[in-house]
Amino acid sequence: MLKLRLKRCGRKQRATYRIVAIDVRSRREGRDLRKVGFYDPIKNQTYLNVPAILYFLERGAQPTETVRDILKQSAVFNELCPNQIKLN
């Protein structure tokens, strides 16, 4: 099973995160399948590769709570039909 989750990057006290598609059993810093976005909480910047995110969501990838909130803010879920994605 796949998840869309945050992968920590950056230096101490200046964390930035990559949004990655990764296997559920992998650790946070483990090898990802594909990088699909970037999130900087300090500057409040977000970059999303929407076609790649939709590709993984259509194939059953589950976003974590934080990634789900980021995707809701950027209205990615509006591009999917309501039946296509299961959100917990």
Side-chain angles (χ1 to χ4, degrees), residues 51-68:
I53 292 171
L54 293 176
Y55 172 83
F56 285 110
L57 289 175
E58 288 170 354
R59 279 151 185 77
Q62 293 294 312
T64 60
E65 291 181 26
T66 309
V67 173
R68 187 180 308 135

Side-chain angles (χ1 to χ4, degrees), residues 4-32:
L4 295 176
R5 73 165 69 145
L6 296 175
K7 185 174 184 179
R8 192 177 194 278
C9 303
R11 59 180 204 244
K12 270 195 303 192
Q13 304 297 317
R14 299 281 302 169
T16 58
Y17 298 92
R18 288 186 182 140
I19 301 171
V20 296
I22 195 167
D23 187 33
V24 173
R25 297 168 289 188
S26 297
R27 57 195 177 109
R28 180 186 73 181
E29 304 301 330
R31 184 166 177 229
D32 50 69

Side-chain angles (χ1 to χ4, degrees), residues 8 34 46 68 84:
R8 192 177 194 278
R34 185 166 178 190
T46 305
R68 187 180 308 135
Q84 284 184 323

